[in-house]
Amino acid sequence: MVDTEKIRKRGRPRAFDREAALETARSLFHAHGYEGVGVAALAEAMGINPPSLYAAFGCKAALYDEVLARYDAAAAPLHALMQPGADPAVTLPQLLREAAHIYAADPQMAGCLVLEGARSADRDAACRARNWLDLGRGRIRDFIACTHPQKADVVADYVAAVMSGMSADARAGHPPERLAAVADMAALAIRAMLAPTPA
């Protein structure tokens, strides 16, 4: 007699692990860019078929957006530096130093996923990345505005520009010490920008 219950259990597919799938997609997007990885490659790496990918995430761009959201949440140590009452002249250099380390930590996934995504040739992907980029810049601006409201915009723009440059340099293969040197030079400018204006 055939044990149909054993057959049913043996043939049952593995449960879909959304977090593992998102981490797999993040690695691929980070290493190859949005345009550099197709739906078929994403699905294969996740261990599912393309229809299942669409069923789970809607479309490639929506998957990318969810990956960006997860990436942003994982940057909590950077967000944690910007606590109310902290001195931006001290905190922002720390932020840049941390970013320099993160961007160059893994040569296979160098740079910032959000910053590099904002440079994407795909309009939808770039727009989604820029939304997260604007959110991050807004956090920096609001943090600075707590103590230096008149300088918040220009300093936030400067910090964002430095981070963008460091991300691009990391993608180009610059080692951590070179990025750290850039962060340290930028720290001098930040302190000067935030210094009290002479009476």
Side-chain angles (χ1 to χ4, degrees):
M1 180 177 175
V2 177
D3 190 335
T4 55
E5 183 62 26
K6 284 184 179 179
I7 292 174
R8 196 158 41 239
K9 285 181 179 178
R10 189 168 59 241
R12 186 175 296 154
R14 290 182 303 154
F16 177 66
D17 187 334
R18 192 179 189 87
E19 287 303 304
L22 286 168
E23 179 57 25
T24 297
R26 183 194 71 81
S27 297
L28 288 172
F29 284 135
H30 209 148
H32 305 291
Y34 181 82
E35 300 96 329
V37 56
V39 170
L42 285 163
E44 183 179 1
M46 292 176 184
I48 59 177
N49 56 37
S52 296
L53 185 148
Y54 286 117
F57 300 102
C59 64
K60 179 184 171 184
L63 165 63
Y64 184 60
D65 198 44
E66 193 165 339
V67 166
L68 292 174
R70 194 171 183 273
Y71 182 82
D72 180 76
L78 297 185
H79 305 332
L81 288 172
M82 297 185 290
Q83 292 296 318
D87 182 356
V90 174
T91 301
L92 295 177
Q94 292 174 336
L95 181 76
L96 292 179
R97 264 274 180 170
E98 285 292 319
H101 170 73
I102 292 169
Y103 293 171
D106 183 350
Q108 298 303 312
M109 292 186 287
C112 171
L113 182 63
V114 175
L115 283 164
E116 297 311 312
R119 306 186 223 270
S120 174
D122 184 283
R123 187 172 298 178
D124 189 8
C127 181
R128 291 170 189 264
R130 279 195 297 270
N131 287 339
W132 288 102
L133 193 58
D134 290 344
L135 180 64
R137 184 205 168 276
R139 289 193 193 107
I140 295 172
R141 187 215 168 276
D142 292 346
F143 168 68
I144 299 166
C146 290
T147 52
H148 299 76
Q150 303 302 318
K151 300 178 179 180
D153 281 316
V154 67
V155 176
D157 285 345
Y158 178 72
V159 171
V162 172
M163 293 177 81
S164 180
M166 289 197 303
S167 178
D169 284 349
R171 293 290 287 184
H174 289 205
E177 57 270 19
R178 285 186 65 178
L179 298 188
V182 170
D184 290 344
M185 288 295 293
L188 298 176
I190 290 169
R191 294 187 187 105
M193 293 165 80
L194 294 175
T197 304

